[in-house]
Amino acid sequence: VQLQASGGGLVQAGGSLRLSCAASGRTASMSRVGWFRQAPGKEREFVAAITWNGGYTYYANVVKGRFTISRDRANNTVYLLQMNSLKPEDTAVYYCGRHRGPLSTVAISTSYDFWGQGTQVTVSS
């Protein structure tokens, strides 16, 4: 499985961005796709996850109500992260990954085995 993340950029506080994670290869082996982020000097942090068919979603409390994860209806191997009401503290490199493990581990980065290359999101105040 290969994952390609894109869509990052520079935005002012209160603005929006939409990230994309395109999966290729053995996508039939996908169970869940997750987004994490990592700011300089900090641990990789869970943001959101979705089942491969888009049926169930999971969010970190810090983004709940502002971010929405979904599967692209036009291309069902692309997973989207719509980020609204962005804050300077959302600034980080965002990564998408393939989750391999029980649902209880969806927020644990070590339960992901493939990662995209990361896309930088910068929110200015």
Side-chain angles (χ1 to χ4, degrees):
V1 171
Q2 292 82 44
L3 300 171
Q4 180 80 26
S6 62
L10 173 64
V11 64
Q12 289 187 332
S16 299
L17 280 175
R18 189 176 76 169
L19 305 184
S20 296
C21 178
S24 60
R26 296 183 62 183
T27 56
S29 65
M30 306 282 283
S31 58
R32 301 178 194 90
V33 173
W35 284 96
F36 281 69
R37 65 189 183 187
Q38 190 165 19
K42 294 190 175 181
E43 297 285 324
R44 192 166 291 194
E45 173 188 37
F46 173 72
V47 174
I50 189 169
T51 50
W52 70 272
N53 62 357
Y56 293 92
T57 58
Y58 315 90
Y59 295 96
N61 287 336
V62 293
V63 304
K64 200 172 292 184
R66 299 189 297 123
F67 292 11
T68 303
I69 189 170
S70 64
R71 190 174 75 162
D72 190 336
R73 293 182 179 182
N75 185 341
N76 61 15
T77 59
V78 175
Y79 298 87
L80 307 172
L81 183 68
Q82 178 67 42
M83 306 186 294
N84 298 328
S85 302
L86 283 162
K87 305 175 181 180
E89 51 263 44
D90 294 318
T91 295
V93 178
Y94 284 68
Y95 300 90
C96 61
R98 183 180 76 166
H99 181 240
R100 299 289 275 180
L103 176 59
S104 60
T105 67
V106 74
I108 301 173
S109 62
T110 53
S111 66
Y112 289 72
D113 60 354
F114 287 101
W115 294 95
Q117 83 286 6
T119 184
Q120 175 71 46
V121 171
T122 303
V123 184
S124 62
S125 57

